[in-house]
Amino acid sequence: MQDPLVIAGHAFDSRLIVGTGKYRDVEETERAIDASGAQMVTVALRRVDLGDRSGQSLMALLQRKGWIVLANSAGCYTAEEAIRTLRLAAELGLGRIHECPSPLVKLEVIGDARTLYPDNEQTLIAARQLVAEGFVVLPYCIDDPIVCRKLQDIGCAAVMPLAAPIGSGLGIRNPHNLETILENARVPVIVDAGVGTASDAAIAMELGCHGVLMNTAIARAQQPVLMAQAMREAVSAGRHAFLAGRMPRQRYANASSPSAGRVGEAPIIASREAPIRIE
């Protein structure tokens, strides 16, 4: 079944986006991302040595693998910082698809160092400027339907509301808000942050979200490569369940087998002329 995730006209077979941080080493990073099936990976520009292209560096891995690199402004606390960081990503050629002049970037402007919640005001300012400069902007934001609508109206190619605080693994804390965001969405809605295990990813997809972005849930698992595979399968299963349409919830039991024709439902009459017949 052809069911791609389409962002700004670009189709992706995988609806899972993964981060590149927190792994034990570059080899584990590669094995986990390969197992996830992700085509797009995020890189926090302020937390990686951009000049290190040696054989065991993350930058060398990214150059070799051919994944779409979604540059991330993680660690930025103002719109100005985020804009400057993502302009650098464009200069490095990150986030480009088939020589497309508009690079894909993940906008992240943090408002609080303890919770890592986004600064809504600064995010909106940065998004407006980056869109005006031709960037394909995917903003990390709070699970607020109003903020998501404003980002969409600015021209962001997707919105990425958190499910729970970054790296917390708490799962989908407010499905109602996500459903409300989805009801009003004209662009893809990608859950970003808070996923802890495969069932969390499946729930996000069953709600109707178009994709899931995660890092810590895979990188900090006891077996990251195995968890990456589990996340791949969970995102796929959740999407299929959403498309299939779940059965309606009911308050009382509803027998799986029909009662018509059941033994004892109607009297059985026996005679010499006719054999016993059970319908």
Side-chain angles (χ1 to χ4, degrees):
M1 180 174 62
Q2 297 296 316
D3 179 38
L5 168 63
V6 179
I7 299 175
H10 305 293
F12 300 91
D13 294 329
S14 174
R15 292 177 177 271
L16 176 59
I17 305 170
V18 297
T20 54
K22 301 185 178 180
Y23 290 96
R24 295 179 182 89
D25 51 41
V26 172
E27 180 186 1
E28 184 178 74
T29 305
E30 179 176 6
R31 291 173 58 224
I33 296 175
D34 282 344
S36 76
Q39 297 167 282
M40 196 184 322
V41 301
T42 64
V43 176
L45 291 188
R46 303 191 70 175
R47 296 171 182 163
V48 65
D49 186 350
L50 300 175
D52 186 358
R53 303 294 175 114
S54 62
Q56 296 302 313
S57 72
L58 177 60
M59 292 305 294
L61 173 65
L62 297 175
Q63 195 171 35
R64 174 167 57 85
K65 294 298 290 189
W67 297 312
I68 305 301
V69 178
L70 190 62
N72 184 349
S73 59
C76 294
Y77 285 80
T78 67
E80 183 181 358
E81 283 183 305
I83 292 167
R84 185 167 58 248
T85 298
L86 296 177
R87 283 172 178 164
L88 173 61
E91 291 176 7
L92 293 171
L94 302 178
R96 298 191 186 280
I97 304 176
H98 306 306
E99 305 301 322
C100 175
S102 302
L104 278 72
V105 294
K106 180 188 173 186
L107 172 62
E108 186 173 320
V109 186
I110 299 300
D112 177 71
R114 183 165 178 263
T115 63
L116 298 181
Y117 281 146
D119 184 317
N120 297 332
E121 180 183 15
Q122 292 295 301
T123 299
L124 288 165
I125 291 170
R128 187 174 289 107
Q129 180 62 38
L130 290 165
V131 168
E133 293 182 16
F135 286 83
V136 178
V137 181
L138 284 64
Y140 160 69
C141 58
I142 204 75
D143 58 340
D144 180 343
I146 306 305
V147 170
C148 287
R149 187 187 67 197
K150 288 182 177 180
L151 288 166
Q152 167 178 274
D153 291 345
I154 284 172
C156 291
V159 292
M160 301 202 296
L162 56 80
I166 291 174
S168 67
L170 290 172
I172 312 300
R173 307 309 298 168
N174 198 334
H176 175 73
N177 275 23
L178 290 177
E179 288 176 329
T180 305
I181 292 167
L182 286 160
E183 285 176 4
N184 300 305
R186 302 189 306 273
V187 296
V189 176
I190 300 170
V191 163
D192 179 10
V195 168
T197 191
S199 58
D200 299 332
I203 289 170
M205 298 304 295
E206 288 174 6
L207 288 171
C209 293
H210 303 89
V212 180
L213 191 157
M214 66 182 73
N215 185 180
T216 309
I218 295 176
R220 285 291 181 257
Q222 294 181 35
Q223 297 186 53
V225 177
L226 187 58
M227 182 60 81
Q229 181 181 341
M231 292 299 189
R232 176 181 188 168
E233 294 169 357
V235 168
S236 178
R239 177 63 178 177
H240 290 164
F242 170 73
L243 294 176
R246 65 156 292 143
M247 62 167 284
R249 291 179 172 87
Q250 300 181 122
R251 184 175 179 182
Y252 298 109
N254 185 5
S256 298
S257 302
S259 59
R262 187 178 60 190
V263 175
E265 185 69 21
I268 300 171
I269 302 174
S271 70
R272 292 180 180 178
E273 287 77 18
I276 295 175
R277 184 163 59 97
I278 300 176
E279 296 181 350

